[in-house]
Amino acid sequence: MHMSRKGHSPIRSGAIPVILLVLICAFSIVIFLYGRFERYSLDMLETSNISLMGQSRIAINYLNDVVYGGGSQIFSDLYVEAAMKTSDPSPALLVHASRVLDKLGNYGIPIHSVYAYNSKADLFCTSCDVPWGNGDEFFDQGIIPILNDIKSGKLENGPIYRYIPKPYSPGLEAVYTYIIPRSSSSSKLAGALIVNVSASWFDDM
């Protein structure tokens, strides 16, 4: 004859609160550690972003100094000045001016191309790695509306992020474009020095 057991085992009944307490403690520890890890990750990300911003600011300041400082020197060159002023510049003059424009690439920044724009002749004299040409035939047609906006005062001088066509092959290239205008006595845009810096320089920082 079997006798029925009354109630639960005292050991099993007493283990339940202990198990619940262990689970609660473990869950609390996981939440605590996750919070610490998240805070640490955010701090590291913030520190990294601040460092990158500082490096970018230094790089941009250096780039501005090179473009505007070097551009001012190129502006004063006799060949470049003549290429931007003469109503009908000769091929020999454009060749000399192109060689001067190439010198801007000697400052340690990846210059994509440099143009000296002659408003009177509607002509772009360029650095030697891209072809020069008249406004309606120039390979970089995207620069025309930008110059028109500068003429009308709708746009600052740069830098402007944009894409320009590759001069000798299909495709586009990303650049930052600086424009240093040359004003006439009537305050109209008589010409401009256009400097295109390869955008990949910032990506590789």
Side-chain angles (χ1 to χ4, degrees), residues 127-139:
S127 49
C128 295
D129 46 1
V130 294
W132 64 63
N134 293 323
D136 58 348
E137 300 173 350
F138 191 51
F139 85 100

Side-chain angles (χ1 to χ4, degrees), residues 54-194:
Q55 293 176 8
S56 299
R57 191 175 296 111
I58 292 173
I60 291 172
N61 289 339
Y62 174 70
L63 182 60
N64 291 341
D65 290 342
V66 169
V67 170
Y68 291 117
S72 298
Q73 294 182 11
I74 288 178
F75 249 134
S76 61
D77 181 85
L78 295 178
Y79 289 118
V80 174
E81 186 178 11
M84 286 195 290
K85 283 184 177 180
T86 307
S87 57
D88 187 20
S90 66
L93 173 60
L94 295 177
V95 168
H96 284 297
S98 292
R99 291 172 179 168
V100 176
L101 296 179
D102 278 338
K103 293 180 180 179
L104 195 57
N106 297 335
Y107 289 89
I109 59 174
I111 299 294
H112 175 277
S113 51
V114 184
Y115 320 147
Y117 175 61
N118 182 330
S119 180
K120 186 183 296 184
D122 191 26
L123 176 70
F124 290 91
C125 173
T126 64
S127 49
C128 295
D129 46 1
V130 294
W132 64 63
N134 293 323
D136 58 348
E137 300 173 350
F138 191 51
F139 85 100
D140 181 10
Q141 285 295 300
I143 196 65
I144 307 296
I146 294 175
L147 289 175
N148 290 335
D149 285 342
I150 290 179
K151 289 178 185 178
S152 60
K154 296 179 181 177
L155 190 68
E156 297 295 331
N157 302 336
I160 303 165
Y161 182 80
R162 67 191 186 101
Y163 289 91
I164 63 176
K166 296 179 179 179
Y168 301 112
S169 62
L172 300 171
E173 294 180 272
V175 297
Y176 286 92
T177 297
Y178 288 81
I179 300 176
I180 307 174
R182 174 180 168 270
S183 300
S184 65
S185 56
S186 60
S187 299
K188 294 183 178 180
L189 184 67
L193 186 71
I194 297 109

